[in-house]
């Protein structure tokens, strides 16, 4: 059984709803899933999982949340080469620039992205929930 971590940051719950759907999709596909809020995950945990879904909304000016999520993610980057990853997050008004930059960074790290990052405006609607479940399935 593959081990999947779902690691997210969320302020108003939109990315948290996406995280729950990713976890549901991975579980339904047979994976053993552990969900972490940002403060509970760290670089030493990366090797414990076959695949990781990272979720963070667009914050600042089209960047990852800078106080908690970005430092945690940066500390993990050295261990992401060859790791199966999925990215997801909610946004408010932009064009997804933060997600494109994040995908590029993961590719530079040598990570294996199982699909394009899943993004949705504000709260995930039914289509976004299905896309999150599909991401979880792809990681499982
Ligand atoms: C301080 C702050 C900065 C934000 N910056 C952006 C941004 O650059 N681009 C964007 O599309 N949305 C931006 N947003 C909107 C959030 O990404 C959006 O509200 C998202 O749904 C929040 O997700 P969450 O509920 O998981 O916290 C920003 C929101 C806040 C509070």
């Amino acid at each position: 059984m593959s081990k999947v971590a779902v690691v997210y940051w969320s302020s108003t719950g939109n990315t948290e709803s996406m995280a729950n759907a990713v976890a549901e999709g991975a579980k339904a596909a047979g994976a053993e899933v552990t969900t972490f809020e940002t403060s509970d995950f760290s670089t030493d945990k990366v090797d414990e999982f076959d695949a990781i879904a990272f979720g963070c909304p667009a914050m600042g000016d089209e960047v990852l949340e800078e106080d908690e999520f970005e430092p945690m993610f940066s500390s993990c980057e050295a261990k992401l080469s060859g790791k199966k990853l999925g990215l997801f997050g909610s946004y408010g008004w932009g064009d997804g620039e933060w997600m494109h930059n994040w995908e590029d960074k993961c590719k530079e790290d040598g990570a294996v992205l199982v699909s394009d990052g899943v993004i949705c405006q504000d709260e995930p609607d039914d289509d976004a929930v299905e896309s999150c479940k599909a991401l979880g399935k792809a990681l499982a």
Side-chain angles (χ1 to χ4, degrees):
M1 185 186 282
S2 78
K3 290 183 76 178
V4 175
V6 179
V7 184
Y8 72 95
W9 186 92
S10 183
S11 164
T12 57
N14 299 330
T15 304
E16 182 175 13
S17 298
M18 297 177 82
N20 291 337
V22 173
E24 203 180 313
K27 271 181 207 155
E32 181 186 328
V33 182
T34 312
T35 301
F36 298 89
E37 289 188 39
T38 304
S39 54
D40 296 328
F41 196 78
S42 51
T43 181
D44 52 300
K45 291 202 164 60
V46 169
D47 289 339
E48 294 174 22
F49 295 92
D50 302 303
I52 304 174
F54 284 109
C56 184
M59 294 297 283
D61 183 10
E62 294 297 325
V63 292
L64 297 171
E65 189 278 326
E66 290 171 293
D67 290 334
E68 274 192 285
F69 190 87
E70 203 281 332
M72 179 282 296
F73 182 76
S74 283
S75 75
C76 293
E77 278 189 88
K79 290 196 160 185
L80 296 183
S81 183
K83 185 68 74 181
K84 261 165 86 170
L85 288 194
L87 304 179
F88 62 94
S90 173
Y91 67 98
W93 52 81
D95 60 1
E97 184 188 336
W98 104 103
M99 180 57 75
H100 296 308
N101 292 338
W102 192 12
E103 288 171 335
D104 288 347
K105 193 187 269 234
C106 290
K107 286 175 193 161
E108 283 165 22
D109 292 334
V112 181
L113 291 173
V114 296
S115 72
D116 289 343
V118 177
I119 66 175
C120 72
Q121 192 166 22
D122 301 323
E123 233 177 285
D125 60 12
D126 290 349
D127 283 351
V129 167
E130 286 311 311
S131 298
C132 289
K133 287 183 185 172
L135 178 65
K137 186 178 175 188
L139 288 164

